[in-house]
Amino acid sequence: MATKQTQSAARLLAAPSIGLLLLWMIVPLALTIYDSTLNYTLQGNPVHKFIGWTNYYYFITDPAFLTSIWNTLVLVGSVLVISVVGGTGMALLLDQPIFGQGVARVMAISPFFIMATVAALVWKNLFMQPVFGLFAWIAHLFGVPPIDWFTNDPMIAVIIIVAWQWLPFATLILLTALQSLDLEQKDAAQMDGAPPLSYFWYLVLPHLARPATVVILIETIFLLGIFAEIFVTTGGGPGLATTNLTFLVFRSALRDFDVGGAAAGGIIAVVLANVVSIFLTRLVGKNLEG
Amino acid sequence: MARKATTSRRLLMTFLAYAFALMLFFPILWMVITSFKSEADAIALPPKFLFFHWTLANYIDVQARNNYWRFAFNSVTLSFGSTVLGLLVGIPAAYAFAFAPTKNTKQILLWMLSTKMMPAVGVLVPIYLLLLQFHLLDTFTGLIIILFLSNLPIMIWMLYTYFKEIPHEILEASRMDGASRWKEIVYVLSPMAVPGIASTVLLNIILSWNETFWSLNVTNIHAAPLTAFIASYSSPEGLFWAKLSAASTLAVAPIVLLGWFSQRQLVRGLTFGAVK
């Protein structure tokens, strides 16, 4: 139906968004790459000398780098496992014929809408504070010493906070997918007398495979960039215990004022995220054809 | 399994579902309860769950001492500003992609999606320096532009998936009746596009309202939204849990309510149409 006229009109309509996104992608990225080759600090000499790969060399050989990569993997991996497994369970439970499903559903997905700084501070104080926090009181009830979360188990504390925000996301997506499972299919399986387990194994699980993949990929994109939860609870510490790659780059840039080094770290983060995004783009792209 | 479900099974499942749902919801509930306590009750041991002197004092305090409404106003300005810009640029693009697709449309859409996957920290340095250079640090303009551009791909995608579902036959029919392009858009297309646009607006407001990386890094006082305001409570200047809870409750309430009303539409937006 597209005539030549509508085609050029369409181009005109799409042009602003394409142009803006092109700028938004290319300009900062090019500048980051450029900065990453300079000896450039916000304090000290104003001359920014070209130093090639040196920033990358220092960033990668800094022991903090390997620690931050490890922390990133631990954080992303743990939250993925908790949220996908827990989210599947929660979604299956909510999909059962229960009374007042709407209310239970709203309660279960609410944490996803809580802004990161609020989530982190509520958990840090009201729950994990070692003297007055609710967890300390529960430990006291059981006669065990309370855990000083942010001193002794800072990474576990951060994982709990982040998983609490993302498990509801997985629940929401998987539940929506479950509810789109054809009612006729459900009825047919029942009439055939399919036992619940094989019904689950052969019908439900395959149906969940795709949405679960989508959940994993989208969560990974966001989890690689976790920042606020660390910023307001541990500040990356104690030591480097909760410093992920994002936080390390932030620290180099806005705390150590090492523009060149931070830029090099930023490029490394971009490369890592791209590996994930290639998979996600493929997956969503397949959907476009359907 | 609806038919086979006996009442006892149903009760058991209901109990389990509510138990787990309540576990997930409890931190929010506890925050809201704490916001009505006095500071002394907030840190009382054993914790006071319901039987304490309920008070609104924290809400009055938060507003008086911390200028809550100014930060709230900033959040509203930033999320609405970026959403309006996003609609202005996004609707025409999504319209073109959905109604006059070319062989490149798919590639362009996927490329747009890929810009969303660039980690913010990768471009923190140059964006920060650019804002510094143009005196846009801690300004509405600076942060609105960032929020607008970083959410634009999601907006276009979401609008596109909705527009694509509008049957083309209707347009052809109206065209046969001699409707002009303009009339077609105003009388035929708009009414059908409104639900999709509304969902897109909701999602974008939620995302902008809760955005933390940029708002913590490029604002300070003047343009700081609620996310940054709450973060200022992280400095260990004593135990002000009741006030923290009151401020937090105010900060999240509008978005949690919006979220409740738009669950299903959000799924589509957040998964780029891969799950409906």
Side-chain angles (χ1 to χ4, degrees):
Chain A
M1 71 170 227
T3 61
K4 251 209 168 112
Q5 261 174 324
T6 51
Q7 289 250 331
S8 54
R11 261 192 218 120
L12 208 66
L13 290 176
S17 63
I18 295 175
L20 283 170
L21 283 174
L22 209 59
L23 279 178
W24 171 242
M25 186 177 84
I26 288 174
V27 172
L29 199 59
L31 285 172
T32 311
I33 294 174
Y34 176 66
D35 288 341
S36 74
T37 62
L38 299 177
N39 179 10
Y40 184 175
T41 61
L42 285 181
Q43 302 159 318
N45 69 335
V47 185
H48 311 140
K49 220 177 72 193
F50 177 81
I51 51 171
W53 295 101
T54 313
N55 281 321
Y56 290 90
Y57 177 77
Y58 279 114
F59 197 88
I60 291 173
T61 53
D62 182 348
F65 172 70
L66 273 186
T67 312
S68 76
I69 293 284
W70 173 246
N71 288 338
T72 306
L73 292 178
V74 169
L75 181 59
V76 174
S78 314
V79 174
L80 277 182
V81 170
I82 296 171
S83 63
V84 171
V85 173
T88 308
M90 194 72 224
L92 286 170
L93 205 51
L94 287 172
D95 192 42
Q96 301 292 316
I98 60 172
F99 298 104
Q101 195 211 41
V103 178
R105 178 188 165 122
V106 155
M107 290 201 299
I109 64 165
S110 291
F112 180 63
F113 302 118
I114 304 295
M115 56 175 69
T117 47
V118 165
L121 281 181
V122 165
W123 278 95
K124 180 191 178 185
N125 292 308
L126 273 50
F127 288 87
M128 292 171 167
Q129 206 269 2
V131 182
F132 303 104
L134 211 56
F135 287 169
W137 175 69
I138 293 171
H140 176 76
L141 283 187
F142 287 97
V144 292
I147 303 169
D148 189 351
W149 290 93
F150 293 101
T151 310
N152 296 326
D153 296 305
M155 187 46 113
I156 296 179
V158 172
I159 288 171
I160 291 176
I161 297 170
V162 178
W164 178 71
Q165 294 173 280
W166 286 96
L167 193 153
F169 171 74
T171 305
L172 177 64
I173 306 292
L174 294 172
L175 180 60
T176 309
L178 272 180
Q179 288 175 336
S180 75
L181 186 62
D182 212 327
L183 265 179
E184 278 174 35
Q185 271 184 314
K186 282 189 194 178
D187 281 353
Q190 236 174 69
M191 298 243 241
D192 291 348
L197 205 64
S198 65
Y199 164 78
F200 175 74
W201 194 256
Y202 292 108
L203 204 65
V204 177
L205 268 193
H207 182 75
L208 283 185
R210 216 172 83 102
T213 320
V214 174
V215 167
I216 290 172
L217 290 168
I218 289 173
E219 280 194 16
T220 308
I221 300 277
F222 280 96
L223 294 174
L224 282 172
I226 286 290
F227 173 76
E229 290 84 347
I230 296 171
F231 180 80
V232 298
T233 56
T234 64
L240 291 169
T242 52
T243 298
N244 65 356
L245 186 56
T246 303
F247 203 82
L248 184 66
V249 175
F250 155 78
R251 214 185 55 173
S252 326
L254 298 187
R255 207 186 283 167
D256 305 340
F257 301 113
D258 179 8
V259 172
I267 294 300
I268 293 167
V270 170
V271 171
L272 272 181
N274 267 313
V275 177
V276 181
S277 71
I278 288 169
F279 287 103
L280 180 57
T281 315
R282 283 230 179 110
L283 200 77
V284 177
K286 258 185 207 151
N287 192 57
L288 269 185
E289 281 144 17
Chain B
M1 284 176 209
R3 235 165 292 161
K4 254 202 263 176
T6 56
T7 312
S8 62
R9 187 191 137 87
R10 193 168 170 176
L11 278 174
L12 175 73
M13 284 301 168
T14 305
F15 173 77
L16 279 178
Y18 270 83
F20 283 109
L22 199 63
M23 255 170 68
L24 284 170
F25 190 66
F26 185 75
I28 300 172
L29 188 65
W30 191 234
M31 170 186 85
V32 175
I33 291 175
T34 306
S35 74
F36 291 108
K37 291 177 177 176
S38 67
E39 293 295 350
D41 280 342
I43 57 168
L45 284 175
K48 299 185 173 178
F49 286 93
L50 287 174
F51 302 106
F52 55 87
H53 177 68
W54 292 66
T55 170
L56 283 172
N58 302 306
Y59 287 93
I60 297 163
D61 254 32
V62 162
Q63 190 193 332
R65 295 219 317 232
N66 286 317
N67 238 334
Y68 167 83
W69 291 110
R70 199 169 59 87
F71 291 97
F73 170 79
N74 289 358
S75 273
V76 171
T77 310
L78 292 167
S79 26
F80 278 82
S82 65
T83 304
V84 168
L85 276 182
L87 288 178
L88 284 178
V89 178
I91 290 179
Y95 172 81
F97 293 147
F99 291 105
T102 65
K103 57 183 191 304
N104 294 327
T105 298
K106 191 184 146 186
Q107 256 65 43
I108 294 175
L109 277 164
L110 288 178
W111 163 75
M112 286 185 164
L113 185 59
S114 73
T115 67
K116 183 64 199 162
M117 294 169 198
M118 188 156 64
V121 76
V123 292
L124 170 66
V125 171
I127 300 273
Y128 188 89
L129 295 176
L130 279 176
L131 292 177
L132 187 71
Q133 215 156 36
F134 291 102
H135 305 287
L136 287 174
L137 270 182
D138 200 18
T139 62
F140 288 124
T141 318
L143 194 49
I144 283 178
I145 291 174
I146 290 175
L147 291 174
F148 152 58
L149 287 173
S150 64
N151 286 333
L152 185 60
I154 294 188
M155 289 188 87
I156 293 178
W157 260 92
M158 200 162 166
L159 289 167
Y160 168 77
T161 64
Y162 277 108
F163 287 178
K164 223 176 66 161
E165 278 169 16
I166 297 175
H168 283 49
E169 292 80 13
I170 287 191
L171 294 185
E172 275 156 35
S174 75
R175 216 164 291 164
M176 296 249 249
D177 291 345
S180 66
R181 198 19 78 113
W182 180 244
K183 276 194 174 152
E184 174 189 310
I185 289 176
V186 173
Y187 294 109
V188 184
L189 219 50
S190 302
M192 302 183 78
V194 163
I197 293 175
S199 318
T200 310
V201 167
L202 276 179
L203 176 67
N204 202 61
I205 287 176
I206 292 176
L207 289 177
S208 316
W209 190 279
N210 285 348
E211 200 285 327
T212 44
F213 184 80
W214 291 111
S215 38
L216 288 176
N217 278 317
V218 306
T219 67
N220 186 17
I221 299 163
H222 179 69
L226 286 167
T227 43
F229 165 61
I230 299 293
S232 70
Y233 273 86
S234 67
S235 49
E237 53 191 21
L239 300 169
F240 293 113
W241 291 3
K243 271 180 215 63
L244 164 68
S245 300
S248 298
T249 304
L250 286 172
V252 301
I255 291 310
V256 171
L257 291 178
L258 276 187
W260 286 354
F261 287 117
S262 52
Q263 299 168 34
R264 197 167 276 274
Q265 294 89 311
L266 290 183
V267 171
R268 183 201 289 245
L270 288 166
T271 59
F272 306 104
V275 177
K276 281 175 196 166

